[in-house]
Amino acid sequence: MSFGSIQAMITSLKNNQRNRQSPFDNTNPQGIGEVKNTGFPERDTTPEQRQAWQTRFKKERQRKDMIMWTVGVTFLGILVGIVCYLT
């Protein structure tokens, strides 16, 4: 790579630079304090709803973990059985 191609890449990166903003940034660039519409629905939830979601997600995660452990142990058992049979 010559110096010219490196300089061209740097120039290209500088020219393509832009100000990026997160959709979660709640203030406008002028600092007036106006809230932007992020497009995400906002809804207040009660503590009971959050607790219900947590318990549901915990049960789903436990179920998935149990399935993975069962499949893993079964696979290892079959693998050990095949190795013992062949030896």
Side-chain angles (χ1 to χ4, degrees):
M1 290 177 91
S2 66
F3 180 72
S5 62
I6 296 173
Q7 184 62 35
M9 286 190 292
I10 292 172
T11 304
S12 174
L13 288 172
K14 284 183 180 180
N15 289 339
N16 290 333
Q17 212 174 31
R18 66 174 191 237
N19 292 332
R20 291 180 173 84
Q21 292 181 350
S22 169
F24 300 106
D25 185 18
N26 288 334
T27 59
N28 59 8
Q30 290 81 23
I32 297 173
E34 184 178 313
V35 176
K36 289 189 338 185
N37 183 6
T38 59
F40 296 107
E42 294 180 10
R43 191 174 94 183
D44 291 333
T45 59
T46 63
E48 293 83 18
Q49 288 175 329
R50 285 194 296 266
Q51 185 66 30
W53 289 339
Q54 286 176 351
T55 55
R56 188 182 78 199
F57 293 144
K58 185 176 180 180
K59 285 181 182 179
E60 288 177 6
R61 187 172 51 246
Q62 286 175 345
R63 183 175 181 272
K64 287 179 184 178
D65 288 346
M66 197 59 141
I67 290 171
M68 289 302 295
W69 275 102
T70 304
V71 168
V73 168
T74 304
F75 176 74
L76 286 176
I78 291 172
L79 188 64
V80 168
I82 289 173
V83 169
C84 289
Y85 178 75
L86 293 177
T87 56

